[in-house]
Amino acid sequence: MPMFEANSYRNVKLDASAGAGGQVLDLETAIKDGILGGVTGGGLVCAGVAEKLDLKKMVEELESIEVPQVFICPISLDPMQDPVTLCTGQTYERYNILKWFSLGHCTCPTTMQELWDDTVTPNRTMQQLIYSWFSQKFLATKKRSEDVQGRAIELLDNLKKVKGQAKVQTLKELRQVVAAHSTARKAVLDNGGTALVTSFLGPFTTHAVGSEAVGILVNLDLDFATKSNLRQPARISLMVDMLNEGSIETKINCTRLMEMLMEGNDFEHENMSSLRLLVGLLRLVKDKKHPNGLLAGLGLLKSICSHESVRGSVASIGTVPPLVELLPSLNNECLELALYILDFLSSIPEGRLALKVCANTIPNVVKLLMRVSETCTRLALSILWAVCMLAPEECTALAVEAGLAAKLLLVIQSGCNPVLKQQSVELLKLCSLNYTSTIFISECKLTRTIQ
């Protein structure tokens, strides 16, 4: 006598993700209504392509899609490809349940009830449903990809013929398609689209055309030849104009594209050191109405500041004060970029002086020690060292008042990089030069343990 009645597959429930419009269905109803592959004239919808499609390949290519829970193996939590059913009525992927048995288990993994029969029975109905569902999804996805790819090629062909406002509309549609679909991006790359779109950028290009063209290019994986072509002064000048005068989306796209163009050792940074570009970037970073431009602006500023000869220009436009004021409010990604920029600027006299005269430099930077990441701590230490070395007596007193000594001791006692620990020791020594030991400990409000 069985210990309990075995459940049939018809009692397994499907959630709304199977396409039931919010209802919970059993498999029998799902088959009848065609929700899981359906039947048409007594056969599966995909029966005509059964031999052409490989289930394993379809499962791999559709890994990001939400799969009905009933198709998931309870052991691996992956879609089943060779489902088998136990005497308890529970269904598993064959490989997974056999491995379970090989480990010495004599129970059903889901119910943990002892099995009176360890036979596994192939669940052909479930396998057919799984195959049907994945086939439909796979073919629908493939068709959408082909439609998108074809539309991208058609738009590229149209761009060779249209002019005026029609060109703007065509570029806009291509930008939307390229931004949304990887197949469209591939179609543009494979059909000479980058050269065509790049050709629309020049000294006489309207901002309407230019903004759409840049919006397309920034979504593509540009090759060396295309980047070299885009670095021509006239094209850089157009991007700088749109950075200063375009919509926030255009400003962000121009910034991202120019950062892409700076990648590589072959780039001549002089093309991107104009004051107009730097002022536009600083304006983008400071724009409180559109904080989504902050990350792009900081990213390009960091790339520009990595070239030493440009740092003087960056400091001269007043970059330091607004960045220092932004530090407490930045997320981790933006904070690291801002610290990189300030660290670069602290390597030149103008930058060090700007950091020193900014009242919040020391308190804001001290707070960042041991708070975000080791990289941020390293950059903050470097900035503080540069400022304190510029005016030791004045700046170290401010640093001690801001709590620097306690922070440095935390770094020294932590598991940080030995180089950071040594920098902390040197900075702590610098801070203590103007005090006796007792007064220094008192000023720093340190504990007896440290004494």
Side-chain angles (χ1 to χ4, degrees), residues 359-377:
N360 287 323
T361 295
I362 290 176
N364 284 356
V365 176
V366 166
K367 289 176 184 176
L368 299 176
L369 292 172
M370 297 296 292
R371 283 193 60 184
V372 180
S373 66
E374 188 169 309
T375 298
C376 286
T377 295

Side-chain angles (χ1 to χ4, degrees), residues 30 110 179 249 281 317 320 329 340 343 353 357 395 412:
T110 300
E249 183 182 8
L281 277 179
I317 62 170
V320 168
S329 62
Y340 265 114
D343 185 40
L353 182 60
V357 300
C395 294
I412 294 167

Side-chain angles (χ1 to χ4, degrees), residues 383-409:
I383 294 165
L384 289 168
W385 177 263
V387 174
C388 289
M389 285 298 289
L390 183 63
E393 187 171 341
E394 175 187 353
C395 294
T396 55
L398 291 172
V400 168
E401 186 179 341
L404 176 61
K407 289 276 192 175
L408 293 176
L409 287 168

Side-chain angles (χ1 to χ4, degrees), residues 199-217:
S199 70
F200 298 139
L201 298 174
F204 304 109
T205 301
T206 64
H207 285 194
V209 170
S211 63
E212 299 297 345
V214 168
I216 294 168
L217 293 169

